[in-house]
Amino acid sequence: TSLHHLSKDATTGILYALIPDASHVVETNLYAQTAESADPNEYIWWFSDPPVFDTLAISEGAQSAALADTATGFLKLCRKNDMGALFAQDEHFQSVDTPYLNNIASLEFINDDQLIYATDNDIGRFAYTSTTWAQKEVFTSSQNDIGVMEGITQLITNQNDTMLYVLAKNSKNIISFSLDGFGRPLFLRNSTLGDFAPARMAISPSEEHLAIVSDTSDSLVLCAIPQV
């Protein structure tokens, strides 16, 4: 089977990945010195029976992890326990009980305590306080003067986690948010890409440009990021 959504815990060197036919999270030790210590057959499994996950994110400090299933609007948020297990102390949220989770598809941690997520037309935040995760503000396409953002496919933050860029494939635009010290998004601008059909984007090391590519064109679009 194929691996996807590879994410590394930089503190331990463990590389985690999802597989398309089971709800397991595969893990491999990148810092291994021998074949035996790589533990290539290890995986994370659950006592419950969650859906097959299709997206995964790990916070930079490796204290939190998030998994989601787009089809069921299911979000699993995990917190590292005292034994060092990352996928522990998990809490579940689902669209049948929690609003604005239908078609959840993108996850991006701002820090260990703040998660930004995207559905096909919403941007939302979950925050961890003391012992629990809670849903916070949500931005929806064509509401509160943020303009249209349909078919969201990617979230990117800058190195200092002060800016969030949202790629909306169907509406062909990029929506920019600033992030305050608590990880709360503040809408800045909605930038159209014209007739260009975007698929993925990347931010330059200088954080002065965004590069956008398409699945239907061999063209590359470079967008200058306004410098404050």
Side-chain angles (χ1 to χ4, degrees):
T1 188
S2 58
L3 301 176
H4 63 96
H5 280 81
L6 278 66
S7 299
K8 186 180 73 172
D9 177 348
T11 64
T12 62
I14 301 295
L15 180 68
Y16 297 97
L18 301 179
I19 52 178
D21 51 3
S23 58
H24 303 150
V25 179
V26 179
E27 60 175 298
T28 301
N29 184 6
L30 293 181
Y31 294 170
Q33 300 297 313
T34 65
E36 291 76 16
S37 62
D39 291 329
N41 296 316
E42 290 294 318
Y43 61 90
I44 306 297
W45 56 276
W46 321 101
F47 287 108
S48 60
D49 187 23
V52 176
F53 300 112
D54 47 28
T55 186
L56 161 69
I58 295 173
S59 65
E60 186 174 355
Q63 294 299 308
S64 299
L67 303 111
D69 173 51
T70 301
T72 61
F74 183 92
L75 175 65
K76 178 189 283 285
L77 295 176
C78 305
R79 190 76 172 183
K80 183 175 287 185
N81 64 18
D82 293 337
M83 299 178 63
L86 175 58
F87 292 90
Q89 305 183 78
D90 48 314
E91 295 182 61
H92 300 168
F93 302 87
Q94 196 161 6
S95 56
V96 295
D97 303 308
T98 306
Y100 306 108
L101 286 183
N102 280 328
N103 300 313
I104 183 172
S106 300
L107 305 169
E108 180 76 15
F109 277 100
I110 304 304
N111 51 47
D112 287 330
D113 301 328
Q114 308 291 333
L115 172 75
I116 302 292
Y117 74 89
T119 68
D120 54 352
N121 61 357
D122 302 297
I123 297 294
R125 179 173 70 99
F126 276 84
Y128 184 82
T129 305
S130 299
T131 60
T132 188
W133 290 94
Q135 188 181 42
K136 300 298 182 179
E137 61 281 332
V138 176
F139 299 84
T140 298
S141 177
S142 301
Q143 295 186 16
N144 300 317
D145 299 322
I146 67 171
V148 64
M149 54 176 187
E150 297 290 338
I152 298 171
T153 57
Q154 191 177 2
L155 305 172
I156 283 183
T157 57
N158 63 353
Q159 186 173 1
N160 295 327
D161 294 322
T162 57
M163 291 292 298
L164 170 69
Y165 303 101
V166 179
L167 181 64
K169 182 176 182 179
N170 293 351
S171 52
K172 300 180 181 178
N173 53 346
I174 295 174
I175 303 90
S176 303
F177 295 83
S178 63
L179 298 169
D180 68 12
F182 298 97
R184 293 177 298 203
L186 303 171
F187 172 70
L188 290 179
R189 65 185 64 88
N190 191 319
S191 306
T192 180
L193 296 172
D195 294 330
F196 187 76
R200 293 170 301 282
M201 64 179 173
I203 190 169
S204 67
S206 67
E207 300 184 347
E208 295 180 353
H209 294 87
L210 287 173
I212 305 104
V213 297
S214 174
D215 288 334
T216 60
S217 169
D218 56 4
S219 299
L220 171 70
V221 171
L222 289 175
C223 298
I225 298 174
Q227 304 299 305
V228 178

